[in-house]
Amino acid sequence: MKKFLSLLLVLMLAFAVLASCGSETDKTDGETNNTSTESKDPENDPVESPFKIPEKNMRDWVVDYMYKMAEVKWTPARDMDLTKDAKGNLVGKTLIFKKGVVYHGLPYINLSTDTDYEDFISDPALTWDEAKGLYVYDCPADRSENKALGNDCSSAILLAYRRFDNNITAYDTGHCFPLGDKTGIYALGKMVVGENDNDTQTITNNTPQADHYEALALLQKGDTVIWRTTAGHTRMVLDVHVERNAQGKIHGSRSYIITIEQTNTIDANRKDGVNTNWYVEHQYSFDKLRESYYIPVTCKALSEERVEPEINVESANTKKTIATAKTLLGNIVSNYPIISAEVYIKDAEGNVMYTERVKPHISEISGKLSLKNFKFKFDMSTLTAGDYTYSIVAETVCGTGEVYKVDFTK
């Protein structure tokens, strides 16, 4: 009887193990089949959008972008004299770059060039020297041909701002006046700004000192101070230090801002051996700022909560119209500024038959880009009979990705 019970227990255990193995096998097969099905049919996989809210808040992002432009390392292949513009006007006495000397930061170019970091490092005149860890700039020896790339004080800041803010129309210091919705630039505090004011000396003189200092005290990381009279300059704020007396009044001489700025002068105050025309972490007291007619300004996007990116194409060429198109139709529309866009014509095997890239000038960056901006110098009649794809790729601060695609047949 004992043997029988033992045998029965063994049989029951074996059955349980087999049942367990059977159910585990079914479960594993099921998972394998699902994985296999998904890998064989990728169209069933959810497609993740390349456009996402930037992880950094805008204040951190714009400051980091300024540092990025200020810290790129390069050396000229020949001596460069950028002290004068193409018309012979003096731009900066110390803007002479010597062959073999290492420089940090984009050169100061006070033209309509307004080059951002990405365009600077992708300039065909720059080659990367892996051993030295820098770019070699085989650029013109002077500005006579307007080919040297760089930016100036205001365009450096606005190239950062206009990646987030669709409301800014300002594109240089002269257009950076805090006229609210007219320029997308706003004065801080109780600065007295007239509708037709066109110099910061007037604004400063019309604003009581105490109000001016209180406005400066409102500055935050990423905001800007601007001076504009017969000439002008802008500085991006990194940090603010405010000291008050017992009555709460601001000490103008003890309160200060720390800035990063693109300038037309090689920084003689650097003690670390870095050669640069960028002033990084310079300090200015409230007293000096008022004496020099600097006023504090900002843009809306610096303080607004970031929203989900929305980007689409309106009224683009259809598969019928693209087959014989001589110009491109439609607009790319985005709630973030469109930094650049590309179009492609590809054959059925994915070979690129035509591609073109458009990057709006700083004065034209917005949330709308007309596809008529593409020159589209391509004769569609040269395509042989077959299947093709027309696609549009757009770039915003939220990412780069395809925003339109249509298949067509020739």
Side-chain angles (χ1 to χ4, degrees):
M1 184 68 177
K2 190 180 287 184
K3 288 183 179 179
F4 175 76
L5 288 173
S6 298
L7 180 61
L8 183 61
L9 282 170
V10 169
L11 288 172
M12 289 175 67
L13 266 170
F15 180 77
V17 169
L18 285 171
S20 173
C21 290
S23 63
E24 194 64 41
T25 302
D26 291 343
K27 183 179 178 183
T28 304
D29 287 346
E31 287 179 349
T32 303
N33 289 338
N34 287 339
T35 304
S36 176
T37 301
E38 287 176 3
S39 61
K40 287 180 180 178
D41 188 8
E43 291 182 2
N44 290 337
D45 292 340
V47 178
E48 193 171 356
S49 171
F51 300 102
K52 301 179 183 301
I53 298 176
E55 292 181 4
K56 293 181 183 177
N57 67 54
M58 186 182 172
R59 293 187 182 278
D60 290 337
W61 194 96
V62 296
V63 165
D64 288 348
Y65 194 74
M66 289 287 282
Y67 270 103
K68 197 173 184 179
M69 290 189 287
E71 292 174 349
V72 59
K73 292 170 62 176
W74 62 280
T75 187
R78 61 181 64 82
D79 288 355
M80 291 171 55
D81 183 351
L82 303 183
T83 58
K84 297 179 180 179
D85 64 20
K87 296 179 180 179
N89 301 312
L90 183 66
V91 174
K93 293 180 181 179
T94 62
L95 294 178
I96 296 176
F97 303 87
K98 294 290 186 179
K99 177 182 177 180
V101 175
V102 177
Y103 295 92
H104 288 235
L106 274 67
Y108 181 89
I109 306 289
N110 192 10
L111 295 168
S112 59
T113 308
D114 297 329
T115 310
D116 61 17
Y117 172 83
E118 291 77 12
D119 274 0
F120 180 73
I121 65 170
S122 61
D123 182 2
L126 263 75
T127 55
W128 177 251
D129 187 324
E130 185 68 37
K132 295 181 179 178
L134 51 71
Y135 292 94
V136 178
Y137 198 5
D138 188 13
C139 59
D142 57 36
R143 284 187 174 144
S144 59
E145 298 178 35
N146 287 355
K147 289 184 178 179
L149 295 185
N151 52 40
D152 58 27
C153 61
S154 59
S155 65
I157 293 172
L158 290 169
L159 281 165
Y161 281 4
R162 294 190 71 157
R163 277 167 159 73
F164 282 88
D165 199 322
N166 267 333
N167 299 308
I168 297 177
T169 59
Y171 56 90
D172 61 19
T173 308
H175 294 83
C176 263
F177 277 87
L179 302 179
D181 294 343
K182 288 186 177 180
T183 57
I185 303 295
Y186 299 81
L188 292 174
K190 297 180 180 179
M191 299 301 300
V192 181
V193 183
E195 186 176 348
N196 298 313
D197 283 348
N198 58 6
D199 70 83
T200 59
Q201 183 175 354
T202 300
I203 296 170
T204 298
N205 290 340
N206 288 339
T207 303
Q209 183 187 75
D211 288 345
H212 194 168
Y213 288 171
E214 290 293 344
L216 290 169
L218 293 173
L219 285 164
Q220 298 180 61
K221 181 179 183 180
D223 289 331
T224 295
V225 290
I226 175 177
W227 152 61
R228 177 73 182 186
T229 51
T230 54
H233 187 53
T234 56
R235 297 163 173 161
M236 182 177 284
V237 175
L238 300 177
D239 199 6
V240 184
H241 175 79
V242 180
E243 285 197 24
R244 299 175 183 271
N245 62 19
Q247 291 72 43
K249 184 179 179 181
I250 292 176
H251 283 293
S253 60
R254 299 180 190 174
S255 299
Y256 57 84
I257 62 172
I258 298 173
T259 65
I260 182 170
E261 55 200 285
Q262 165 71 296
T263 79
N264 65 347
T265 306
I266 299 296
D267 189 355
N269 295 324
R270 293 291 291 247
K271 306 301 181 185
D272 54 4
V274 170
N275 299 295
T276 181
N277 50 269
W278 287 71
Y279 285 9
V280 179
E281 298 177 9
H282 278 219
Q283 181 175 307
Y284 305 94
S285 71
F286 284 16
D287 278 353
K288 292 297 182 184
L289 291 170
R290 182 169 174 84
E291 288 173 13
S292 303
Y293 310 119
Y294 276 92
I295 64 172
V297 300
T298 191
C299 66
K300 278 185 176 180
L302 279 172
S303 300
E304 288 182 341
E305 185 178 346
R306 300 269 52 86
V307 297
E308 288 287 345
E310 296 178 6
I311 185 166
N312 56 71
V313 179
E314 300 175 341
S315 306
N317 294 84
T318 64
K319 64 180 181 180
K320 292 183 179 179
T321 61
I322 192 62
T324 57
K326 294 183 179 179
T327 58
L328 298 181
L329 305 176
N331 301 295
I332 307 171
V333 181
S334 170
N335 58 347
Y336 285 84
I338 300 165
I339 299 169
S340 70
E342 291 178 89
V343 295
Y344 292 91
I345 302 291
K346 297 180 182 179
D347 65 16
E349 284 72 44
N351 299 309
V352 177
M353 312 305 292
Y354 181 80
T355 185
E356 183 183 349
R357 180 172 181 263
V358 164
K359 186 163 189 175
H361 183 262
I362 186 174
S363 62
E364 299 171 339
I365 295 175
S366 71
K368 187 174 183 179
L369 177 64
S370 172
L371 290 166
K372 290 183 178 179
N373 287 349
F374 288 92
K375 296 177 181 177
F376 196 60
K377 292 183 177 179
F378 182 65
D379 186 354
M380 297 293 282
S381 66
T382 61
L383 293 176
T384 58
D387 295 327
Y388 297 90
T389 299
Y390 162 57
S391 62
I392 303 169
V393 172
E395 175 193 8
T396 74
V397 74
C398 301
T400 301
E402 190 175 82
V403 293
Y404 185 77
K405 183 172 75 172
V406 61
D407 298 325
F408 65 99
T409 302
K410 282 286 290 183

